[in-house]
Amino acid sequence: MTPRPSKPFTMALVRVAAMSAALVSALLAPSAWAQSTDLSACMAELRPAARTGKVSDATWTRHTAGLQADFSVIEKLNFQPEFRMPIWDYMSALVDEERVSDGAARLTQHRQALVRAEDRFGVDPATVVAVWGVESNFGQTFGKYPLVQALGTLSCHGRRQSFFRGEFFAALRILQAGHIAPERLVGSWAGAFGHTQFMPTTFERLAVDFDGDGRADLMDSSVDALGSTANFLARAGWQSGLPWGIEVKLPAGISLAGEGRRSKRPVSEWTARGVRRIDGAALPESLGNVGLLTLAGANGPAFLVTRNFDALYSYNAAESYGLAIAHLSDRLRGGGPFATPWPTDDAGLSRAERRELQGLLTLRGHDIGPIDGMLGDKSREAIRAEQKRLGMEANGRGGQKILKTLRGG
């Protein structure tokens, strides 16, 4: 997946209505198989609930026999990152010239399917392609975890087992229905998969066969994924013809207390408080009720956002994520960068600049692994070492300052 904060659990929970008393007890008590990679005992406990959840005996046996736990997914579930990405780093990596160019190519390549999706679901092509770009870099980054193993592990170990069991049973039903070949059902450690990273229960509710081959396949059919994403946003309340929001200029001294995406007010109230479009023009009344979004405070870019921003937010329950999709969609329509700069003296890096930084670190003898534009633990450790050597703040962050310094030798 693209570099970004860990994906929150936002897809609908599947609750099993009928569970045996033994299974309920197992949910409340420590598991007997707590330290074992062998999931057979846990699978035996889960079998009655899976059967109630319409997973056939044949499907269950085929996909769970000999299933082994992958404890790396538990580590990711429990991991609390020490390194928190500033919003300007997040946006710089997700909405860069490279992704804008790639997205424009996808708009042309899939024009026919995107027009059909807009006609059927009312969601414009740029927005659908922006989701695709942010979620999987246009199908280039799906994730590597076999979903049955990952979700089976999470169903038996760690926190939120009830949630993951619902997703586990849904993944098995997807295989049972023949939508996706077993060896192709891979994705994130938490179970999201495909071009636009649906959770299994979301797939069951909202995936559509948009290419007409009789299967809804988000792994190998980008057309199905685009149609399914448009369906998701439509069901989330997307209103055709309404922008997600606009960048605005705030008057000096405006209070942000109590304001946010959810605190929507009529445009007339924002006008009365002195808020204007970023170019100084009057706010358009056609926006309806809007909320104020300021992810970097009053000194950073500010936006009045509509209900369509809420639809984007529902895809991943993170305002930074919603803003990345919104901004990328604007760039794909020909818009430019935000007019207001982020309030930092050390701006973020594009993916090309991140790769350049990794190359410079490698030339200085640091082992950072592959040069992929993903500033992971090894890259940050190397950055920290160089910052310390150069007398800079050793925070491990890759920004313009360390890049320009290393460029200069």
Side-chain angles (χ1 to χ4, degrees):
M1 298 177 67
T2 49
R4 65 184 214 209
S6 300
K7 186 179 182 74
F9 304 118
T10 63
M11 308 303 184
L13 303 182
V14 172
R15 301 277 185 192
V16 179
M19 292 177 117
S20 67
L23 179 55
V24 173
S25 298
L27 287 171
L28 298 176
S31 301
W33 52 85
Q35 301 301 320
S36 175
T37 59
D38 183 1
L39 294 178
S40 58
C42 178
M43 292 297 109
E45 293 279 7
L46 293 181
R47 182 66 195 106
R51 187 178 287 115
T52 300
K54 299 183 179 180
V55 178
S56 72
D57 289 340
T59 298
W60 184 263
T61 300
R62 178 182 179 188
H63 297 293
T64 68
L67 192 63
Q68 297 292 303
D70 177 1
F71 287 112
S72 71
V73 302
I74 304 299
E75 294 173 7
K76 291 185 177 295
L77 177 67
N78 295 328
F79 179 60
Q80 299 296 325
E82 296 178 356
F83 182 84
R84 296 190 177 276
M85 185 180 293
I87 181 62
W88 40 87
D89 286 346
Y90 181 72
M91 294 294 295
S92 294
L94 284 181
V95 187
D96 57 11
E97 295 303 323
E98 186 178 345
R99 203 176 308 271
V100 172
S101 177
D102 289 347
R106 298 311 193 280
L107 281 171
T108 300
Q109 179 183 359
H110 296 281
R111 181 179 181 279
Q112 184 177 4
L114 289 164
V115 169
R116 282 199 298 118
E118 184 173 24
D119 289 343
R120 180 170 168 182
F121 301 111
V123 184
D124 65 280
T127 296
V128 174
V129 170
V131 174
W132 188 16
V134 169
E135 282 292 344
S136 72
N137 195 23
F138 309 109
Q140 297 180 61
T141 310
F142 281 163
K144 62 182 181 180
Y145 293 88
L147 254 63
V148 170
Q149 182 183 35
L151 290 172
T153 302
L154 292 164
S155 295
C156 298
H157 298 277
R159 299 177 290 108
R160 300 181 63 92
Q161 290 180 21
S162 178
F163 168 79
F164 285 115
R165 288 172 184 184
E167 299 297 339
F168 180 46
F169 298 159
L172 292 172
R173 289 192 296 267
I174 291 169
L175 295 174
Q176 183 171 280
H179 289 295
I180 299 171
E183 66 275 10
R184 293 292 295 141
L185 191 59
V186 297
S188 76
W189 66 266
F193 69 98
H195 283 269
T196 49
Q197 296 288 289
F198 275 22
M199 292 295 285
T201 54
T202 304
F203 176 97
E204 290 191 308
R205 288 188 300 112
L206 299 174
V208 295
D209 170 21
F210 211 55
D211 62 10
D213 68 352
R215 298 180 301 122
D217 183 357
L218 302 190
M219 293 297 300
D220 294 316
S221 173
S222 55
V223 171
D224 284 356
L226 296 174
S228 299
T229 300
N231 187 35
F232 180 103
L233 293 173
R235 293 282 291 275
W238 186 271
Q239 182 176 325
S240 180
L242 181 70
W244 64 267
I246 58 171
E247 187 178 0
V248 295
K249 181 177 178 59
L250 302 178
I254 188 172
S255 174
L256 302 182
E259 304 299 350
R261 174 182 59 86
R262 294 187 181 91
S263 303
K264 290 186 171 56
R265 308 172 185 272
V267 167
S268 58
E269 290 192 22
W270 293 111
T271 297
R273 295 177 67 182
V275 178
R276 297 290 183 269
R277 293 185 69 118
I278 194 63
D279 61 2
L283 300 176
E285 293 289 340
S286 59
L287 293 179
N289 289 349
V290 288
L292 180 63
L293 185 70
T294 52
L295 296 185
N299 294 324
F303 312 91
L304 289 179
V305 296
T306 70
R307 59 185 293 183
N308 278 357
F309 185 86
D310 296 336
L312 299 178
Y313 171 88
S314 72
Y315 209 99
N316 197 2
E319 290 176 341
S320 54
Y321 169 90
L323 185 61
I325 291 179
H327 187 40
L328 180 56
S329 70
D330 280 350
R331 294 294 309 275
L332 292 175
R333 298 184 195 98
F338 296 141
T340 304
W342 295 108
T344 177
D345 63 354
D346 189 12
L349 303 176
S350 68
R351 288 174 296 160
E353 289 172 326
R354 290 180 178 209
R355 292 192 293 269
E356 181 186 358
L357 175 59
Q358 288 178 315
L360 291 170
L361 292 169
T362 299
L363 287 174
R364 283 159 176 76
H366 298 284
D367 177 14
I368 62 164
I371 297 177
D372 55 7
M374 304 282 286
L375 300 183
D377 291 342
K378 287 186 175 181
S379 291
R380 291 196 294 271
E381 182 181 349
I383 292 169
R384 192 175 292 110
E386 288 298 316
Q387 289 171 327
K388 185 176 181 179
R389 180 181 66 82
L390 293 164
M392 304 170 68
E393 180 186 359
N395 57 17
R397 175 179 168 266
Q400 292 291 338
K401 285 184 177 180
I402 185 66
L403 174 62
K404 291 176 180 177
T405 301
L406 294 183
R407 277 176 177 168

